[in-house]
Amino acid sequence: VINANLDVKSADYHVKEIIGQGYPQINGAANFQDYIQIPTTLIPGAFIGQPGTFIPLKFGVTYQSSLSVNATQILFDPNYIVGLQARKTYKQLYERSFERSKIETNVNVTKAYYQVLVSVEQVKLLDANISELKQQLDETVARNKQGFVEKIDVDRLTVQYNSLVTTRENTLRLLGLNYELLKFQMGMSIQLNLTLKDKLEDIQLDASVVDPVISDKTIYKNRIEYGLLETQKKLNEYDVKSKKGQFLPRLTAN
């Protein structure tokens, strides 16, 4: 979600960059040169009445500087015009991506939250079943010693009891993993303790959400995924216009 929000801000700056391309562009350059040693040229001495010799002469100055300023203004640029037309759609794409990230994060946190509550209830049910089965097992063992039941009945209850204990241990491990998954989805440190106050029976589901019968056949247009596809389609159309605009002349004033 944080990264998606940063993408929205980046898109906003990019839109400003596109708009700024239509403003007058002023470029300046400055140059400064320091000749530590001025270039020396040898000329024939015959020019100054000394034939047969060469006279060294230095041409230039020790310091030299220059300054230039150039200004340009776009008069007609098809790509710039398309960019202005697409700037709102471009920003909308990242805004909808940000909205989708928030929805997906909310869904993932909700799923992980419910899974923790389900695991907690499973542990409670297993504890109740183990307690009840342990009582039956103890009674069966006592009756077996008195000769009222056979040994096979004791073995059958023992297997069931051990199976429930193993299932409870696995469920406890799964509960720990579900807690860590919930912390991860919320961006919470795994080392911190997390306690849920809600219970599974306290959760009230909206019947309109879980109702599989949907009379409105255009409800898909309300989904963020559909909006993203529509926005991407518009951007592709602008991209086609931009490609066509490359064959048109571009006018600038200097």
Side-chain angles (χ1 to χ4, degrees):
V1 175
I2 295 177
N3 292 334
N5 189 27
L6 293 176
D7 290 338
V8 173
K9 294 181 180 179
S10 177
D12 187 41
Y13 288 123
H14 185 65
V15 168
K16 294 179 180 179
E17 179 184 353
I18 294 175
I19 297 175
Q21 293 176 0
Y23 296 152
Q25 306 294 317
I26 301 176
N27 300 318
N31 184 30
F32 178 80
Q33 294 179 338
D34 181 6
Y35 290 99
I36 299 176
Q37 185 176 358
I38 300 176
T40 302
T41 303
L42 297 177
I43 63 173
F47 290 107
I48 57 175
Q50 298 180 9
T53 62
F54 291 92
I55 307 300
L57 292 178
K58 294 183 178 181
F59 295 94
V61 295
T62 304
Y63 301 104
Q64 184 176 359
S65 62
S66 62
L67 180 65
S68 63
V69 178
N70 181 34
T72 60
Q73 172 65 54
I74 296 177
L75 299 180
F76 176 76
D77 188 350
N79 288 334
Y80 176 70
I81 296 175
V82 173
L84 290 179
Q85 294 174 347
R87 67 185 188 276
K88 292 183 179 180
T89 306
Y90 176 79
K91 185 178 179 180
Q92 186 183 58
L93 177 66
Y94 286 94
E95 289 176 344
R96 288 184 171 178
S97 296
F98 175 59
E99 187 68 23
R100 182 183 63 176
S101 298
K102 291 195 297 183
I103 294 175
E104 289 179 348
T105 302
N106 186 29
V107 171
N108 292 334
V109 171
T110 302
K111 288 181 178 179
Y113 190 88
Y114 284 155
Q115 192 59 48
V116 171
L117 296 181
V118 170
S119 297
V120 170
E121 290 299 320
Q122 287 177 341
V123 172
K124 291 181 180 179
L125 291 176
L126 287 171
D127 287 339
N129 292 336
I130 289 174
S131 177
E132 182 179 353
L133 189 60
K134 183 65 169 61
Q135 182 179 357
Q136 294 180 7
L137 178 60
D138 293 340
E139 293 177 356
T140 304
V141 170
R143 295 175 64 186
N144 174 258
K145 292 180 179 180
Q146 297 175 358
F148 292 105
V149 296
E150 298 181 357
K151 182 65 168 56
I152 191 174
D153 295 328
V154 176
D155 295 338
R156 177 175 55 82
L157 290 177
T158 301
V159 171
Q160 293 179 359
Y161 177 79
N162 293 334
S163 178
L164 284 179
V165 171
T166 302
T167 302
R168 181 181 183 278
E169 293 175 353
N170 294 334
T171 305
L172 285 176
R173 284 192 289 266
L174 180 61
L175 176 60
L177 292 176
N178 289 334
Y179 266 113
E180 293 183 358
L181 177 60
L182 178 58
K183 294 177 184 178
F184 172 78
Q185 297 293 356
M186 294 191 303
M188 179 180 177
S189 176
I190 298 179
Q191 285 73 25
L192 297 178
N193 293 326
L194 177 62
T195 303
L196 304 187
K197 296 183 179 180
D198 293 327
K199 296 181 180 180
L200 189 61
E201 58 268 19
D202 298 332
I203 304 300
Q204 300 293 331
L205 296 179
D206 189 356
S208 61
V209 176
V210 299
D211 188 4
V213 179
I214 300 177
S215 58
D216 189 1
K217 301 301 181 181
T218 62
I219 196 172
Y220 66 90
K221 293 183 179 180
N222 298 329
R223 294 187 60 87
I224 189 63
E225 293 84 357
Y226 181 83
L228 276 171
L229 292 176
E230 285 290 317
T231 305
Q232 187 63 54
K233 179 183 177 182
K234 292 181 180 179
L235 285 178
N236 291 337
E237 293 174 354
Y238 286 124
D239 185 61
V240 172
K241 290 183 179 180
S242 178
K243 293 293 191 296
K244 293 180 179 179
Q246 295 177 359
F247 298 97
L248 298 177
R250 181 176 183 269
L251 301 180
T252 59
N254 295 324

